[in-house]
């Protein structure tokens, strides 16, 4: 009997011990995960997400609070939602150090919570869409999951969807910004037709957690630019939408990318001028006429500007979709457009096909690149996307690159290529930089370098210049000068 | 005097006739457009006529193998080719209805891409216009078990002249 009591006592002690251990690992994360659990997840090794108390949600306060760790920039997430959530990017890359910071700031009363910036994981809801979203995850998809190990996107990147509006679908709502309705000339951009909601879902459905479907860029601002309530899309409304986006350029509401999943026949001087004068990146569908648009041009797909990417459609076997237009000169690359699942009005989903759905895959990848390289030019983004395609023999003579979109390669290439050349500013001369690679000083001659307007929305603005000759971009970040090299094989 | 009056009346009558003819011409150019679904629901088209339209547009039995036997024969288009007058009337009507926003649009900006037959007073056509684009998603119009497949947002229109 005594031995039985002893066993029970030992058991109770063990239970008590385990309970105490568990109580000791008090959650410091918003969703209640313990540190031990969290360390098993993938997350960015140089960033933290911080939620601030109401009176302390400003850049200066956060900057001072974390100053000692070396901040590269601070970005407010979902500014329009007033959630007081910011992302802080540090100059170091150290997972352990991030946890030390989280621990040491756990008692700071001005902070609601502090947590790592997790990479995308497949939550249970999302898993149900895994098989259906071949465009993201399939063998011939765009390799989105790997791209998300580099970045999930950024709320500072804004993508204009020129279409039938966007329904506030549960999977998109958090990434949806205010736009404009060019049909009724007001800001009511709800989508009753459905096409625009499908495009928006492919670009930026939230994914993970309570959200079912993932877009290519999980963090992004979708700006609905409503040009129609139905199938009839007038060029004049499209021109208005592009001009609207151009007017916002270099403001806090800059639209970095425009997606237009429509095609016109004939010519339009006003559309030509509008696309040509847009400062951002313009992504368009190649069209569904099954034709060579080098021979029978359609617009805007056949326009040849440095800021436009024309996208044809492939199916799950990486074959050109039967309906897709093609063209060795006019079509830049192919992307998934056959049997694509996406969001529809009233929180529905639909599988659909068309070059309409190939274009937003590219727009989403462009958004990821902008997220990783905020100061990049439109032509550079185009160059990175085109230079990183997977070559496909069947597509060799059907488009400029002879390949299909690869999100991971494009984002990785943009990120790594642009940071391979680093220089230190000279102590003596602001216009002189020291190259760490070549071990010599490079003088920034005035006639070669001109100041470049940076985006006002980035919290910590690097000084930047653009070379008049080679179009390289050099930006100053503290004492470091970084040159963005543009590759121009296709751009 | 009577002769003089009658000589004056002749050109006046001719002028009135010409004006009258012109008005009649305009009248023939007025009509309405319907989708195939609308035309069927309003009773302007029978199911057999819709099947024929689908057959011509889809390029055969494609998308309707279950309802069209291998030896299925569509109704004759009658006329086989659209007359220039009707072609122009449809384009003019389309211009007036769909291109009101585009001040510079002319008749030459509207083209009949496809003619799928005339049934009673209904003309089935696909129209493309310079100033109008379409979303590039495929879709199928389903009418009483009949599928009409479209490569993009553009659809067959049924034109009924007044």
């Amino acid at each position: 009997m005594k031995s039985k009591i002893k066993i029970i006592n030992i058991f109770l002690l063990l239970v008590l011990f385990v309970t105490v251990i568990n109580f000791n690992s008090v959650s410091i994360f918003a969703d209640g995960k313990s540190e031990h659990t969290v360390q098993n997840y993938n997350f960015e090794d140089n960033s933290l997400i911080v939620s601030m108390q109401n009176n302390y949600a400003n850049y200066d306060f956060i900057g001072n609070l974390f100053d000692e760790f070396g901040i590269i920039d601070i970005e407010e997430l979902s500014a329009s939602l007033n959630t007081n959530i910011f992302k802080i990017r540090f100059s170091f890359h150290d997972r352990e150090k991030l946890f030390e910071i989280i621990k040491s700031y756990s008692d700071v009363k001005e902070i609601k919570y502090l947590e790592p910036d997790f990479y995308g994981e497949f939550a249970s809801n999302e898993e149900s869409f895994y098989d259906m979203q071949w465009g993201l995850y399939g063998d011939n998809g765009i390799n989105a999951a790997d791209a998300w190990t580099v970045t999930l996107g950024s709320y500072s990147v804004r993508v204009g969807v020129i279409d039938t509006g966007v329904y506030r679908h549960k999977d998109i709502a958090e990434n949806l910004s205010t736009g404009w309705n060019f049909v009724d000339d007001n800001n009511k951009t709800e989508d009753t037709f459905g096409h625009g909601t499908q495009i928006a879902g492919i670009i930026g459905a939230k994914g993970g957690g309570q959200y079912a479907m993932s877009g290519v860029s999980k963090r992004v601002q979708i700006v609905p630019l409503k040009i129609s309530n139905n199938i009839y899309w007038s060029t004049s409304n499209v021109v208005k939408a592009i001009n609207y986006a151009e007017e916002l350029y270099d403001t806090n509401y800059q639209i970095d990318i425009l997606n237009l999943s429509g095609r016109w026949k004939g010519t339009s001087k006003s559309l030509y001028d509008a696309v040509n004068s847009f400062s951002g990146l313009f992504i368009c569908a190649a069209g569904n006429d099954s034709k060579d648009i080098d021979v029978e041009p359609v617009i805007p797909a056949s326009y040849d500007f440095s800021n436009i990417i024309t996208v044809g459609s492939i199916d799950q076997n990486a074959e050109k979709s039967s309906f897709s237009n093609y063209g060795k000169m006019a079509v830049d690359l192919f992307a998934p457009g056959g049997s694509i699942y996406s969001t529809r009005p009233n929180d529905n989903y639909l599988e659909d096909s068309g070059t309409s759905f190939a274009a937003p895959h590219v727009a989403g990848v462009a958004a990821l690149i902008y997220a990783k390289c905020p100061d990049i030019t439109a032509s550079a983004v185009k160059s990175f996307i085109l230079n990183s395609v997977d070559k496909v023999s069947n597509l060799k003579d059907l488009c400029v690159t002879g390949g299909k979109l690869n999100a991971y390669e494009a984002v990785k290439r943009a990120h790594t290529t642009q940071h391979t050349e680093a220089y230190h500013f000279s102590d003596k001369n602001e216009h002189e930089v020291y190259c760490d690679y070549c071990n010599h000083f490079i003088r920034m001659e005035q006639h070669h370098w001109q100041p470049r307007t940076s985006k006002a929305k980035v919290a910590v603005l690097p000084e930047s210049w653009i070379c008049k000759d080679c179009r390289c971009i050099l930006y100053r970040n503290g004492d470091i000068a970084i040159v963005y090299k543009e590759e121009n094989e296709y751009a | 005097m009577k002769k003089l009056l009658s000589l004056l009346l002749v050109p006046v009558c001719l002028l009135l006739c010409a004006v009258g003819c012109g008005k009649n011409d305009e009248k023939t150019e007025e009509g309405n457009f319907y989708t195939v679904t609308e035309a069927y629901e309003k009773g302007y088209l029978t199911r057999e006529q819709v099947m024929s339209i689908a057959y011509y547009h889809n390029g055969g039995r494609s998308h309707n193998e279950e309802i069209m036997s291998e030896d299925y024969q569509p109704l004759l288009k009658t006329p086989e080719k659209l007359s220039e007058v009707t072609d122009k009337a449809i384009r003019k009507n389309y211009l007036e209805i769909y291109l009101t926003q585009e001040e510079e649009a002319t008749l030459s900006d509207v083209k009949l891409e496809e003619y799928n037959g005339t049934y009673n007073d209904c003309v089935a056509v696909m129209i493309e216009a310079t100033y109008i684009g379409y979303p590039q998603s495929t879709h199928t119009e389903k009418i009483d078990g009949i599928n009409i497949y479209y490569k993009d947002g553009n659809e067959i229109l049924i034109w009924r002249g007044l």
Side-chain angles (χ1 to χ4, degrees), chain A residues 102-261:
Chain A
I102 291 170
K103 271 184 191 170
S104 61
Y105 281 74
S106 60
D107 293 332
V108 176
K109 66 179 189 306
E110 291 88 355
I111 295 175
K112 279 190 203 165
Y113 63 83
L114 192 59
E115 65 181 10
D117 190 8
F118 295 104
Y119 291 139
E121 296 131 15
F122 305 118
S124 56
N125 279 337
E126 197 171 353
E127 278 171 2
S128 64
F129 275 75
Y130 186 90
D131 288 339
M132 291 187 279
Q133 288 197 272
W134 76 267
L136 300 188
Y137 314 115
D139 289 343
N140 288 312
I142 65 168
N143 204 1
D146 283 344
W148 293 334
T149 63
V150 181
T151 179
L152 294 174
S154 164
Y155 293 110
S156 66
V157 178
R158 287 162 56 83
V159 183
V161 175
I162 303 175
D163 217 289
T164 53
V166 178
Y167 176 80
R168 190 166 276 278
H169 193 287
K170 66 180 179 60
D171 294 356
I172 306 173
E174 275 196 29
N175 291 349
L176 195 57
S177 177
T178 308
W180 196 254
N181 179 336
F182 298 93
V183 182
D184 302 318
D185 210 20
N186 59 35
N187 64 358
K188 291 172 184 164
T189 54
E190 193 76 345
D191 180 20
T192 51
F193 184 71
H195 188 266
T197 307
Q198 289 172 270
I199 303 304
I202 294 165
I203 296 170
K206 184 88 177 165
Q210 61 186 294
Y211 311 99
M213 207 195 95
S214 274
V216 177
S217 186
K218 295 173 178 227
R219 291 177 187 160
V220 68
Q221 282 193 53
I222 301 285
V223 185
L225 303 172
K226 183 170 180 170
I227 49 131
S228 177
N229 293 310
N230 50 46
I231 59 168
Y232 299 103
W233 294 9
S234 75
T235 40
S236 54
N237 279 348
V238 175
V239 169
K240 282 181 200 169
I242 299 170
N243 290 341
Y244 174 87
E246 181 58 21
E247 280 171 19
L248 292 177
Y249 213 80
D250 273 334
T251 72
N252 287 345
Y253 303 99
Q254 174 169 309
I255 293 173
D256 305 280
I257 304 157
L258 284 174
N259 186 95
L260 179 56
S261 286

Side-chain angles (χ1 to χ4, degrees), chain B residues 33-36 39 44-60 62 64 68 72-83 86-87 90 111-128 141 143 146-151 154-159:
Chain B
F33 289 100
Y34 306 90
T35 63
V36 182
Y44 301 149
L45 290 173
T46 65
R47 188 170 187 274
E48 195 182 5
Q49 289 167 339
V50 172
M51 270 177 79
S52 298
I53 291 169
Y55 184 91
Y56 288 123
H57 172 78
N58 294 344
S62 172
N64 289 304
M68 290 179 190
Y72 172 79
Q73 291 294 320
L75 299 169
L76 293 176
K77 285 184 176 177
T78 333
E80 182 62 30
K81 193 170 177 292
L82 214 52
S83 72
T86 311
D87 179 294
I90 294 172
K111 287 192 177 101
L112 300 194
E113 291 266 307
E114 199 176 285
Y115 166 62
N116 296 302
T118 303
Y119 309 92
N120 308 326
D121 52 354
C122 295
V123 186
V125 286
M126 284 278 280
I127 300 174
E128 283 271 2
E141 191 176 8
I143 307 150
I146 304 162
N147 296 318
I148 306 179
Y149 172 78
Y150 300 105
K151 279 184 179 175
N154 196 9
E155 291 184 345
I156 293 171
L157 289 176
I158 302 299
W159 182 76

